[in-house]
Amino acid sequence: MMRKGGVILYPTDTVWGIGCDATNAEAVKRVYEIKQRDDSKALICLVDSDARMQRYFRNVPDVAWQLVDSLKESDGKPTTLILDGAINLAENLIAEDGSVGMRITNEPFSKELCFRFQKAIVSTSANISGEPPAQNYGDIDPRIIEAVDYVCWSRRQEHKPHTPSSIIKLKENGEVTIIRK
C-alpha cells in the first residue's frame, strides 16, 4: 500500500499514527490534508534501526548516538530526535531549517512495519489538527478512518493509556533543546 503512495493508520510505540512513505511528497501531502494541518508544521518519521536513521541525515552528531544508546539501555520513554541536515526525504516533510524529527521505534508492530518497508515512515498522531491524539483505535475520528487507504489490524482492541513521545532537538554544534518532555 505505502509503496504505491498509500496512507495508512497504524499503532506505534506511542499513540495511533497516520503513516506513509516519508520519501513520497504526494503521500506526505495527503497526510497533511487528512490531518487538516498546515504543512509548515513538521511531521515526524519512524525507522527501525540506527543504520536506517543515518540514511536520512548528512551528519548525526555524537550526542544523538549517545542519547539513542542510553534510551536503548534504559528502555525509556520513546523519544523523537529533531536533527539538522535532513536528506533523502520528501521535501514537504523537511522543516524550513533543514531539520526533521525521527524516532527509532522498538514497539514490535511498528518496528516490523519499518523493517519490512525498508524506508522511513511518516508517523503523526491520528487526529485532526488541534484535537487530542488517538491513544487507542477507538479514539480515532471516523473522518480519518475514511480518508486513509488502509487500517492495520494490530492492537485495535487495546484500551490503555498511551502518550506522545518526548521530543529533543539536537543541533550539529551539540546544542540541546527539549521540545516536549
Side-chain angles (χ1 to χ4, degrees), residues 88-112:
N88 303 321
L89 294 166
E91 285 295 319
N92 54 346
L93 189 59
I94 300 171
E96 286 181 22
D97 67 359
S99 68
V100 77
M102 195 165 287
R103 183 169 71 250
I104 300 170
T105 181
N106 287 313
E107 183 273 330
F109 179 81
S110 56
K111 188 173 187 81
E112 183 71 14

Side-chain angles (χ1 to χ4, degrees), residues 51-126:
R52 186 117 34 235
M53 185 172 91
Q54 197 162 356
R55 292 181 189 179
Y56 298 107
F57 299 97
R58 279 189 203 84
N59 177 41
V60 178
D62 289 340
V63 67
W65 295 126
Q66 292 165 7
L67 190 55
V68 165
D69 288 344
S70 72
L71 289 168
K72 280 183 197 171
E73 291 169 13
S74 70
D75 199 26
K77 181 178 180 181
T79 301
T80 301
L81 302 179
I82 300 174
L83 302 172
D84 293 331
I87 56 172
N88 303 321
L89 294 166
E91 285 295 319
N92 54 346
L93 189 59
I94 300 171
E96 286 181 22
D97 67 359
S99 68
V100 77
M102 195 165 287
R103 183 169 71 250
I104 300 170
T105 181
N106 287 313
E107 183 273 330
F109 179 81
S110 56
K111 188 173 187 81
E112 183 71 14
L113 181 67
C114 291
F115 174 76
R116 288 180 183 225
F117 192 59
Q118 296 285 300
K119 292 184 192 176
I121 298 174
V122 166
S123 181
T124 184
S125 56

